[in-house]
Amino acid sequence: AFTLKPSRINENSVINGAKEEKTWTFVIDAAHGGTDDGVSTSEGLKEKELSLAIALKIKELNKNPAFNIILTRESDIFMNVKEKVDFTMQHKPDGFVSIHINGAPTNQTNGIEVYLGTRNTSFQKESMLLGSMINQEMTKVYQTLDTLKKRSTGIWVLDAPQINYPAAIVECGYLTNPKDRAFISDPKNQEKIAK
């Protein structure tokens, strides 16, 4: 993976610059699901359950009528990455965010990370802005990597050729790290991330 320095965003200028009469649609993807657990622990914690809990909280906490939150899943079902992109495209979103929980070969790697696509060049600036805003907010919640990451191989939900919206993935900590695991498994902290 390679990294980019996130921009510092003045939230008020972004919000005030938006047209008030517009409804902003965001598709929030709870990663994995169904037969795909994602990262899991011997204690029974599963990425698919944690990512769904956070996604559901995002939708539940949204009280702003100018924001329309659509979830790729609201229960323990599986959608492959192509189905997720097709589903998202149908809703013509202003942005897409996929919620994940990370894992690593060692228990030393930790913290929240934000990933951007590598091939969706037409929305590169908008994705950078979205990723920077997410990164900036996450630093208020928990230890967050101070760069935005990209994978050299690409990630389909960020890089599919038909994508016409800004997109980012948020890795909300490492289940393989004891401190992260304790943080992310606490429903109060899941709500902090969702906010």
Side-chain angles (χ1 to χ4, degrees), residues 50-74:
L50 296 170
S51 65
L52 179 60
I54 293 168
L56 290 170
K57 287 180 193 310
I58 291 170
K59 185 166 184 169
E60 176 188 334
L61 291 169
N62 177 41
K63 304 298 182 209
N64 187 336
F67 292 100
N68 178 28
I69 305 294
I70 297 169
L71 303 181
T72 57
R73 66 183 183 99
E74 296 189 41

Side-chain angles (χ1 to χ4, degrees), residues 34-136:
T35 57
D36 180 6
D37 291 344
V39 179
S40 60
T41 69
S42 57
E43 297 87 19
L45 285 174
K46 297 176 182 174
E47 178 180 7
K48 70 174 184 176
E49 294 168 353
L50 296 170
S51 65
L52 179 60
I54 293 168
L56 290 170
K57 287 180 193 310
I58 291 170
K59 185 166 184 169
E60 176 188 334
L61 291 169
N62 177 41
K63 304 298 182 209
N64 187 336
F67 292 100
N68 178 28
I69 305 294
I70 297 169
L71 303 181
T72 57
R73 66 183 183 99
E74 296 189 41
S75 62
D76 188 18
I77 62 166
F78 175 77
M79 292 173 75
N80 69 43
V81 291
K82 291 185 179 186
E83 290 171 325
K84 288 182 182 199
V85 170
D86 291 344
F87 174 87
T88 303
M89 293 290 295
Q90 290 172 5
H91 293 284
K92 300 177 175 57
D94 296 290
F96 170 89
V97 179
S98 187
I99 308 295
H100 286 255
I101 316 297
N102 224 332
T106 74
N107 66 4
Q108 302 303 309
T109 309
N110 69 319
I112 295 173
E113 300 170 338
V114 178
Y115 281 83
L116 302 178
T118 57
R119 299 181 197 142
N120 189 356
T121 55
S122 59
F123 280 84
Q124 191 71 33
K125 287 181 184 175
E126 292 88 347
S127 292
M128 179 80 168
L129 177 63
L130 176 65
S132 294
M133 292 175 77
I134 293 168
N135 187 275
Q136 185 172 309

